[in-house]
Amino acid sequence: MSMLANIWGLIALASVIWVIYDVLTQNQRLGTIKKVIWILIAIIFGIFGAIAYYLFGKK
């Protein structure tokens, strides 16, 4: 595994953790179903899910 792949993996993991943390602690206006959906999007799509959450889910 190359160094670039390792760095990309760490960035993806950090972005997923950030979304999960933010959804559960900071974004109180979301309902339970929306929280679950955003967490699943972050887990499935990684960095792209985090970008989508930042653009569309975080207000």
Side-chain angles (χ1 to χ4, degrees):
M1 196 174 234
S2 71
M3 183 68 119
L4 185 60
N6 287 335
I7 292 171
W8 184 257
L10 287 175
I11 292 170
L13 179 63
S15 67
V16 169
I17 291 171
W18 170 74
V19 170
I20 293 170
Y21 172 79
D22 196 75
V23 165
L24 294 177
T25 62
Q26 305 298 320
N27 205 338
Q28 299 298 323
R29 68 172 183 79
L30 287 178
T32 304
I33 299 297
K34 288 184 180 180
K35 287 182 180 186
V36 170
I37 291 170
W38 277 117
I39 290 171
L40 288 174
I41 288 171
I43 291 171
I44 293 168
F45 296 107
I47 293 171
F48 302 111
I51 292 169
Y53 172 72
Y54 183 76
L55 294 174
F56 304 113
K58 186 170 177 65
K59 295 194 179 178

